[in-house]
C-alpha cells in the first residue's frame, strides 16, 4: 500500500487517489495549432526508472491534483505539492 | 494405536483443563495449551495422513507452520476447512477434524496398496500434461487424478462465519515474539514508541518455548514477556500472522479467533485481516529447521529434531522411547540431552568430526550413545519407523532399532517477509543457508533470521535494532540496557553441508508434494536447470507449506548436479502470503451486496414500493421496468415505450452526472472543453455538447444549461460522471490555474426526473399550475429556475427520447414528494413511471449515442457529430482530430440497422459482414444497441460499420457465432423517429 502525503489531508493510502502519470511535461498552451506539439505531449513518455514526478488526485479527500515525487524503481515516495501552486522553493 | 505418550508432569499445558475433540468420529482428549498435533501425538497417533501422489503413510514432521504432512480437514458443513496443519491448530473443546487423502481410510488405504498411479505421477507429469504436445491427455486423466491424488476437499456451502477488516497504524512493528523480537519490542517501547508485536503462536517466546519448564531459558522467557507486558505502549497480537509486507511499509496481518469459538450471531469474527501501516519494521521471524534426505525418510516417527524437543518440553509428550538423533549441526544436541533427561534412550549421529564445545562430554554423561562422522542411509518400518540404517562414509551399514528419529539438516532463516520488500537473499557459507540481503531504510532484522544462533547475541541484536527502529521514527528516550541470558546455551558450531547417502528407498525432499531426489535428477536430465524451472517441473515447493523445510535441500541437490555453488543456485521468489489464509478473511465483509457501495436515487424506496424491478447500472440501482407494464422485461419495456410515444411517462434520471460550473471564466472554460461554442449561450438556455479526449476520441456528451452569467449546470452520462469531473479539475488545477472557475459535483444534491411524451406539457401544467410552459416562455432547450413554496425547482426542456420532454430537478430531499406530486396530478392523463430499459430503447430509436457507442475509440465524424465542431474557436482535441488515420476511409461509424427476417433476432455484439464477405475474422463492424421499435414494429439496432452511412440501404449479414446465428439486416439512418425534430419542438 503506497502511502501518499497530501498537503491538505496528510499521509493517506494510495487507494484514495487517482493516478494520471507524468507531471514533468508542460501541456501546450490552449489554442496551440502545432499538431506535432500535441502529438508529443499526448503520446510520448519518458517512463524513467528512478526518481519521477507524477500527477495524483486526492479523489476521496480534498480532490486536489498533486505533483508527487516517486521513485519508480523502489516505489519510495518523496515530497508532494499542489499542482495549482507549483513546486515549493 | 499405542499407549499414551504424555509424560506425567511438565509442559505448558493445563492438566486441570481437559478438552474433548473428535478425530475421524473418535472422541479424544487433550489439554488446554495443546496443539492438535501434540494432542494426537500424546494419544499415540502417529499416522496423520497419506501422501499426495504415492499415498505413503505419513506422520508429523514439525511442530510449527512449516509442517508438510499433518494436514487435516477441520469443521463440518460451511465451516469445513481442508489442509490445515495440525501443528498450528490450538486445541479447543469440541474441535472436529478428519484425516484426509486416504480411501477408505487413512489407516487402511487401498490406493497405497495398488499404487497404480505412481508411475504416471513422476516428475514433470503435471508440467508436461499442461504444457506439452500431450496437453489433451489432461482431459482424459483429470477425473482419475483428482480422485486419487490431491489433498483435502472444500465444500460449496456458504460459510456461516463472520470475518472482519481492520485498519491500524504503529510506530514500530516487531514481527515475531522470540527472544530477539521480545528484546526489540522491549527496547522500542522503552524508548517511547508505539509498538505492535505480532506473534503467530498463541504463546510468546518463540524458540524459548521449547526449553524445559524451570530451565534458565524458561525463566528468561517469563522475564521478557513480563517486561513487554508492563509497557502500556505495546500492543501484543497473538495468533496473528504477518502474511506479507507491501509498499509504504504496509503489512497484512491475519488474526485468528478460532480458539474462542466465535459466534457470528453475536457479531464475533472468526478471523480479522488487519492492514497495518508501520513507520519501522523489525523482522524477528526466526528460522526453520531443515530435514535430512535419505532413503524412506518419510516414515512416521521421522521428525525434525527441534520438533521432538518442542513436543517433549512444551507439550510433555515423549514421541518415542528409543530415539536416534541425526544432525549436521549443534542444535539437535539439545534435543538429545533433553530426551536423555526424560529417560528416553538416545543414539546421536553427527555427520561432523566434532561438535561444539563440551557437547559430546555432556551427552555421554547423560547416557547418550554418540557417534561422529556417520550419516543416515535409510529408515526402516512402514506405518511407523522401527529403526535406521547408518554408515560411516564408505563404511559398512549398521542398524539401530528405534521408534523416533530426530533429524536436523541445519536452519533456514525465515526471510519470506524481508524478500517481499525486495531484499534479495544471499548465501551464507558459515551458516550453510540463505540470509536476508540489505534492508530498505526503516527495516531491521535480529536473531535467527540474520543467521544468529547464539541466544545472547540474539537478545543483543534485538535490543539494538529495537532502539535503532525507535530512533528512525524519532523517539528520544533511552531504551535502557539489553536483557542478558542467565546461562549461555551451547553456541552454534558451524554446520557442515549435509552429506547425502545413496541409500535404498525413496529419499524425499518435498514431503507434501512427494518430490524425491530422483525427481530432481530427472529434471536435471531433461534440462530444467534453474531453481525456478525445477520448481515448475517437479512441483517442488508448490504445496500449501511452500517448501519451508525443503527448498534449500532441493537447491543444494540441483547445485550439486550442475557443479555450481549454492549462491549461484539461488532461491525461488518468495511471495505473499507467508502461510495460507482463508478467502473469507481476505473478503471480510465485502461480499454479496457489500462487495462494493451501492448508489440509490432519492426516489429509490418509492420505486420498490410501486412495482419497480431494479437493475444495476454501474454502482447505481435503477428501475429496470415497472410491473404495471408487464411481468417480464421483454413485454414491459415495449409497453412503457408506447406510453411515452403516445401519452406521457416519467422516469428517474437522478443518476446523471451533474456538475456546477461557476465563476467569471466559466463560459470561457466550457468553450475550451466542448467542441461546440458555449461562450455565447444565452442565460435561460441549454445546449447539447460533446467533449473530446486530448487524442480526439469522444469522451462524453451531455447538456449544459446557463442559469446566469457566471453559473452553468452541466450534465454528463451516468457512466462517465466521475471521469468528467476529474478531467475538469485536472484542467483547472494543472493546465489553466489562471481561469477563475470552480467546479463542484452536485449529482447527489439534485433529484432528477424526466417527463416525456406528447402530453408532457399538459402533465406538468396540472402539477405546477403557476408555471408558464408555453413555447414562447419555455422553448425547446429553454431552462427555468423558480421557487415553489421555498423549494428551488429547475426545469430544462430537453429530450432524450425524441418526444416533447422536460427534465425537472429539485433538491434530493424533495425528490420523492415532487415525483409523487407529478404522478398524482397527472393521473387523469394516464401518466405512469417508465424504467431504464424503455429509456434506453427510446434513445436508440431516436439515434442518440450513449455509453455503448462511446467506446473511447470513435471520433466525432465516426458518430455523425462532425458538424458540431466549431470552426471559429479552439477546443480540446482539435489538433489531433486531424491525424491522418482518423481521416482515412474505412473507419467504423454509426449506422442504424433494421432486421429483415421477422422471426429472427438482432443481438448486441453481433459481428457485421457485407453479403459478399467470407464470414470470418472481425468483420466490418458490430451491433452496439438493440431494441424493438414501437414506431416501425420491428427490431432495430445501432451499430458501428465500416464507412457506415455510405452503405445506407445496403443489405448486410449479422453473425452471432455464440448462437450459430446469421441474420439479414439493412443499413438505415440511425434516426428512426421524427428525424426533423418536430416532436421535441411541439
Ligand atoms: Zn487531500
Amino acid at each position: 500500500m503506497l502511502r501518499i502525503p497530501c498537503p491538505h489531508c496528510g499521509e493517506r493510502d494510495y487507494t484514495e487517489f487517482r493516478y494520471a502519470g507524468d507531471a514533468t511535461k508542460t501541456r501546450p498552451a490552449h489554442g496551440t495549432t502545432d499538431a506535432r506539439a500535441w502529438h508529443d505531449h499526448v503520446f510520448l513518455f519518458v517512463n524513467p526508472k528512478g526518481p519521477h514526478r507524477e500527477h495524483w488526485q486526492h479523489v476521496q479527500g480534498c480532490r486536489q491534483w498533486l505533483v508527487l515525487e516517486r521513485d519508480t524503481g523502489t516505489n519510495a515516495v518523496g515530497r508532494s505539492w499542489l499542482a495549482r501552486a507549483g513546486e515549493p522553493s | 494405536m499405542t499407549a499414551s505418550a504424555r509424560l506425567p508432569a511438565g509442559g505448558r499445558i493445563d492438566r486441570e483443563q481437559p478438552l474433548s475433540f473428535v478425530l475421524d468420529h473418535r472422541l479424544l482428549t487433550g489439554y488446554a495449551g495443546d496443539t492438535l498435533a501434540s494432542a494426537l501425538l500424546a494419544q499415540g497417533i502417529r499416522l496423520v495422513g497419506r501422501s499426495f501422489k504415492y499415498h505413503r503413510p505419513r506422520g508429523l514432521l514439525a511442530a510449527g507452520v512449516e509442517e508438510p504432512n499433518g494436514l487435516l480437514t477441520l469443521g463440518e458443513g460451511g465451516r469445513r476447512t481442508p489442509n490445515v496443519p495440525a501443528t498450528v491448530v490450538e486445541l479447543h473443546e469440541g474441535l472436529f477434524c478428519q484425516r484426509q487423502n486416504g480411501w477408505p481410510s487413512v489407516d487402511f488405504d487401498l490406493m497405497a496398496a495398488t499404487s497404480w498411479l505412481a508411475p504416471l505421477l513422476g516428475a514433470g507429469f503435471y508440467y508436461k500434461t499442461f504444457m506439452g504436445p500431450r496437453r489433451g491427455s489432461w482431459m482424459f486423466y483429470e477425473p482419475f487424478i483428482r480422485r486419487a491424488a490431491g489433498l483435502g476437499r472444500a465444500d460449496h456451502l456458504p460459510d456461516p462465519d463472520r470475518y472482519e477488516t481492520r485498519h491500524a497504524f504503529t510506530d514500530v512493528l516487531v514481527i515475531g515474539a522470540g527472544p530477539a523480537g521480545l528484546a526489540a519490542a522491549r527496547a522500542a517501547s522503552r524508548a517511547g514508541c508505539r509498538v505492535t508485536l505480532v506473534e503467530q503462536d498463541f504463546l510468546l517466546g518463540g524458540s524459548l518455548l521449547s526449553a524445559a519448564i524451570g530451565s534458565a531459558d524458561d525463566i528468561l522467557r517469563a522475564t521478557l514477556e513480563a517486561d513487554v507486558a508492563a509497557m502500556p505502549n505495546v500492543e501484543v497480537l497473538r495468533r496473528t500472522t504477518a502474511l506479507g509486507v507491501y509498499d509504504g511499509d504496509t503489512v497484512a496481518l491475519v488474526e485468528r479467533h478460532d480458539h474462542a469459538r466465535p459466534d457470528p450471531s453475536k457479531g464475533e469474527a472468526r478471523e480479522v485481516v488487519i492492514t497495518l501501516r508501520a513507520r519501522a519494521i523489525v523482522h524477528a521471524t526466526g528460522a526453520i529447521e531443515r530435514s535430512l534426505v535419505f532413503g524412506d525418510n518419510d516414515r512416521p516417527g521421522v521428525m525434525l529434531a527441534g520438533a521432538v524437543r518442542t513436543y517433549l518440553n512444551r507439550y510433555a509428550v515423549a514421541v518415542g522411547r528409543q530415539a536416534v538423533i541425526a544432525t549436521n549441526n549443534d542444535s539437535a544436541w539439545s534435543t538429545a540431552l533433553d530426551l536423555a533427561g526424560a529417560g528416553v534412550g538416545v543414539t546421536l549421529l553427527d555427520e561432523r568430526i566434532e561438535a561444539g564445545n563440551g557437547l559430546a562430554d555432556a551427552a555421554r554423561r547423560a547416557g547418550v550413545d554418540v557417534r561422529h562422522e556417520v550419516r543416515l542411509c535409510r529408515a526402516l518400518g512402514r506405518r511407523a519407523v522401527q529403526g535406521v540404517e547408518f554408515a560411516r562414509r564408505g563404511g559398512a551399514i549398521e542398524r539401530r532399532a528405534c521408534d523416533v528419529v530426530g533429524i536436523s539438516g541445519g536452519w533456514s532463516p525465515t526471510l519470506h517477509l524481508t524478500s517481499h520488500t525486495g531484499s534479495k537473499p544471499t548465501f551464507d557459507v558459515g551458516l550453510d543457508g540463505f540470509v536476508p540481503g540489505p534492508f530498505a531504510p526503516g527495516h531491521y532484522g535480529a536473531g535467527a533470521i540474520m543467521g544468529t544462533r547464539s541466544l545472547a547475541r540474539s537478545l543483543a541484536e534485538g535490543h539494538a535494532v529495537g532502539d535503532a527502529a525507535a530512533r528512525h521514527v524519532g523517539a528520544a528516550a533511552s531504551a535502557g540496557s539489553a536483557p542478558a541470558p542467565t546461562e549461555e546455551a551451547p553456541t552454534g558450531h558451524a554446520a557442515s553441508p549435509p552429506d547425502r547417502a545413496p541409500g535404498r528407498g525413496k529419499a524425499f525432499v518435498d514431503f507434501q508434494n512427494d518430490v524425491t531426489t530422483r525427481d530432481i535428477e530427472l529434471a536435471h536430465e531433461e534440462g530444467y536447470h534453474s531453481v525456478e524451472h525445477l520448481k515448475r517441473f517437479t512441483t517442488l515447493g508448490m504445496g500449501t507449506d511452500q517448501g519451508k523445510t525443503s527448498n534449500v535441500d532441493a537447491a543444494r541437490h540441483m547445485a550439486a548436479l550442475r557443479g555450481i555453488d549454492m549462491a549461484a543456485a539461488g532461491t525461488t521468489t518468495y511471495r505473499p502470503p507467508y502461510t495460507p489464509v482463508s478467502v473469507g478473511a481476505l473478503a471480510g465483509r465485502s461480499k454479496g451486496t457489500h462487495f462494493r457501495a451501492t448508489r440509490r436515487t432519492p426516489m429509490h424506496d418509492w420505486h420498490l414500493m410501486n412495482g419497480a424491478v431494479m437493475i444495476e447500472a454501474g454502482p447505481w440501482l435503477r428501475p429496470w421496468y415497472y410491473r404495471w407494464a408487464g411481468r417480464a422485461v421483454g413485454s414491459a419495456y415495449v409497453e412503457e415505450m408506447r406510453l411515452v410515444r403516445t401519452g406521457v411517462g416519467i422516469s428517474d434520471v437522478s443518476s446523471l452526472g451533474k456538475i456546477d460550473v461557476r465563476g467569471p471564466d466559466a463560459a470561457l472554460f466550457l468553450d475550451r472543453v466542448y467542441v461546440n461554442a458555449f461562450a455565447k449561450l444565452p442565460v435561460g438556455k441549454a445546449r447539447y455538447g460533446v467533449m473530446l479526449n486530448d487524442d480526439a476520441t469522444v469522451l462524453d456528451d451531455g447538456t449544459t444549461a446557463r442559469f446566469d452569467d457566471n453559473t452553468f449546470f452541466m450534465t454528463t452520462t451516468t457512466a462517465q460522471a466521475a471521469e468528467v469531473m476529474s478531467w475538469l479539475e485536472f484542467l483547472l488545477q494543472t493546465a489553466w490555474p489562471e481561469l477563475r472557475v470552480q467546479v463542484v459535483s452536485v449529482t447527489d444534491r439534485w433529484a432528477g426526473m424526466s417527463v416525456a411524451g406528447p402530453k408532457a406539457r399538459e402533465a406538468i401544467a396540472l402539477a405546477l399550475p403557476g408555471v408558464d410552459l408555453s413555447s414562447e416562455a419555455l422553448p425547446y432547450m429553454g431552462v427555468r429556475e423558480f421557487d415553489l413554496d421555498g423549494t428551488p425547482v429547475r426545469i430544462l426542456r430537453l429530450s432524450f427520447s425524441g418526444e416533447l420532454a422536460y427534465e425537472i430537478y429539485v433538491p434530493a430531499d424533495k425528490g420523492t414528494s415532487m415525483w409523487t406530486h407529478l404522478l398524482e396530478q397527472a393521473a387523469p392523463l394516464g401518466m405512469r413511471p417508465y424504467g431504464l430499459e424503455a429509456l434506453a430503447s427510446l434513445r436508440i430509436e431516436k439515434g442518440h449515442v450513449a455509453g455503448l457507442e462511446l467506446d473511447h475509440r470513435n471520433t466525432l465524424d465516426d458518430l455523425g457529430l462532425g458538424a458540431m465542431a466549431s470552426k471559429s474557436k479552439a477546443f480540446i482535441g482539435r489538433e489531433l482530430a486531424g491525424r491522418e488515420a482518423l481521416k482515412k476511409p474505412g473507419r467504423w461509424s454509426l449506422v442504424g440497422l433494421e432486421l429483415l427476417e421477422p422471426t429472427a433476432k438482432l443481438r448486441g455484439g453481433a459481428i457485421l459482414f457485407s453479403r459478399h464477405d467470407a464470414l470470418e475474422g472481425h468483420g466490418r463492424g458490430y451491433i452496439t444497441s438493440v431494441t424493438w421499435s414501437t414506431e416501425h414494429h420491428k427490431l432495430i439496432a445501432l451499430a458501428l460499420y465500416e464507412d457506415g452511412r455510405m452503405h445506407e440501404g445496403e443489405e448486410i449479414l449479422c453473425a452471432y457465432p455464440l448462437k450459430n446465428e446469421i441474420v439479414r439486416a439493412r443499413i438505415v439512418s440511425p434516426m428512426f423517429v421524427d428525424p426533423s425534430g418536430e416532436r421535441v419542438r411541439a
Side-chain angles (χ1 to χ4, degrees), chain A residues 6 8-9 58 61-62:
Chain A
C6 172
H8 286 167
C9 313
H58 196 190
C62 58

Side-chain angles (χ1 to χ4, degrees), chain B residues 45 67 111 131 306 371 377 456 585 747 789 883 895:
Chain B
I45 297 172
E67 173 61 35
M111 293 290 190
M131 307 295 289
R371 305 286 300 272
C377 305
T747 301
D789 303 330
R883 280 184 289 155
V895 294

Side-chain angles (χ1 to χ4, degrees), chain B residues 56-57 296 298-300 378-388:
Chain B
R56 286 167 70 103
D296 294 328
D298 64 329
R299 294 306 183 203
R378 192 177 175 207
L380 305 171
R382 180 162 177 82
R383 289 156 56 101
V385 66
Q386 291 171 346
V388 293

Side-chain angles (χ1 to χ4, degrees), chain A residues 1-3 13 18 20 27 30-33 35 38-39 42-43 55 57 59 63-65 75 83-84, chain B residues 169 246-248 250 277 672 694-695 722-723 725-726 729-730 733-736 874 876 878-880 883:
Chain A
M1 182 81 76
L2 219 57
R3 300 274 291 161
D13 289 349
R18 167 191 289 259
R27 186 183 174 86
H30 188 71
T32 299
T33 53
W38 284 104
H39 167 272
V42 173
F43 297 114
H55 277 130
Q57 185 191 16
V59 283
R63 294 203 64 92
Q64 294 302 298
W65 280 95
N75 243 350
R84 183 194 286 280
Chain B
F169 297 82
Y246 302 87
D247 288 330
T250 306
R277 295 119 182 115
R672 292 184 178 187
D694 269 333
D695 67 359
E723 289 293 322
M725 184 66 197
S726 269
E729 288 166 324
F730 180 82
Q733 293 179 31
T734 72
W736 310 323
I876 288 175
R878 183 180 70 171
E879 276 66 33
L880 293 182
R883 280 184 289 155

Side-chain angles (χ1 to χ4, degrees), chain A residues 32-73:
Chain A
T32 299
T33 53
D34 177 4
R36 169 61 60 179
W38 284 104
H39 167 272
D40 291 354
H41 178 73
V42 173
F43 297 114
L44 299 188
F45 296 87
V46 178
N47 194 21
K49 180 181 179 183
H52 198 31
R53 290 179 175 190
E54 297 163 331
H55 277 130
W56 293 77
Q57 185 191 16
H58 196 190
V59 283
Q60 288 176 34
C62 58
R63 294 203 64 92
Q64 294 302 298
W65 280 95
L66 317 180
V67 175
L68 175 73
E69 294 178 335
R70 184 176 71 96
D71 188 307
T72 59

Side-chain angles (χ1 to χ4, degrees), chain B residues 264-522:
Chain B
S265 72
K266 292 181 186 156
E268 295 166 354
R270 180 179 179 186
E271 294 176 2
V272 181
V273 164
I274 304 167
T275 305
L276 178 72
R277 295 119 182 115
R279 296 172 65 203
I281 299 177
V282 173
H283 299 270
T285 48
I288 291 172
E289 197 165 24
R290 295 193 291 264
S291 68
L292 290 172
V293 182
F294 55 93
D296 294 328
N297 58 344
D298 64 329
R299 294 306 183 203
V302 178
M303 305 172 78
L304 295 174
V308 173
R309 181 167 180 253
T310 300
Y311 287 117
L312 179 75
N313 289 330
R314 179 169 174 180
Y315 302 107
V317 175
V319 180
R321 303 310 305 166
Q322 274 298 329
V324 168
I325 305 296
T327 186
N328 69 342
N329 67 90
D330 285 349
S331 68
W333 287 73
S334 302
T335 305
L337 287 166
D338 288 354
L339 283 172
V344 175
V346 184
T347 302
L348 194 145
L349 312 176
D350 196 321
E351 296 184 357
R352 300 167 301 172
I353 298 169
E354 59 174 357
N357 269 350
L359 280 174
D361 287 344
R364 287 198 181 96
R365 274 199 305 278
V368 176
D369 179 6
V370 177
R371 305 286 300 272
H372 280 290
E373 292 185 273
V374 288
R375 59 198 173 164
L376 281 178
C377 305
R378 192 177 175 207
L380 305 171
R382 180 162 177 82
R383 289 156 56 101
V385 66
Q386 291 171 346
V388 293
E389 292 179 348
F390 63 97
R392 293 183 78 89
R393 188 186 290 273
I397 286 178
E398 299 178 60
R399 284 194 173 198
R400 184 69 42 108
C402 63
D403 55 1
V404 60
V405 179
I407 53 177
S408 180
W411 293 79
S412 294
T414 309
L415 37 68
H416 302 67
L417 296 171
T418 60
S419 299
H420 298 171
T421 68
S423 163
K424 201 171 168 52
T426 58
F427 192 75
D428 180 324
V429 177
L431 178 76
D432 187 39
F434 288 93
V435 293
F439 288 124
H443 287 253
Y444 306 88
I449 184 181
M450 305 306 289
T452 305
R453 298 297 313 151
S454 139
L455 177 59
R457 273 184 48 210
S458 289
L459 291 170
E461 283 174 14
H463 183 79
V465 300
D467 189 41
R471 305 290 147 228
H472 179 78
V473 303
S478 161
S481 56
T486 48
E487 181 185 299
E488 179 64 307
T491 60
H493 196 67
S496 74
D499 191 3
R500 298 287 170 249
R504 286 186 298 145
K506 283 191 192 312
F508 287 89
V509 178
D510 180 334
F511 292 87
Q512 189 175 113
N513 274 351
D514 268 356
V515 179
T516 65
T517 50
R518 178 68 199 124
D519 294 324
I520 296 173
E521 284 152 19
L522 190 64

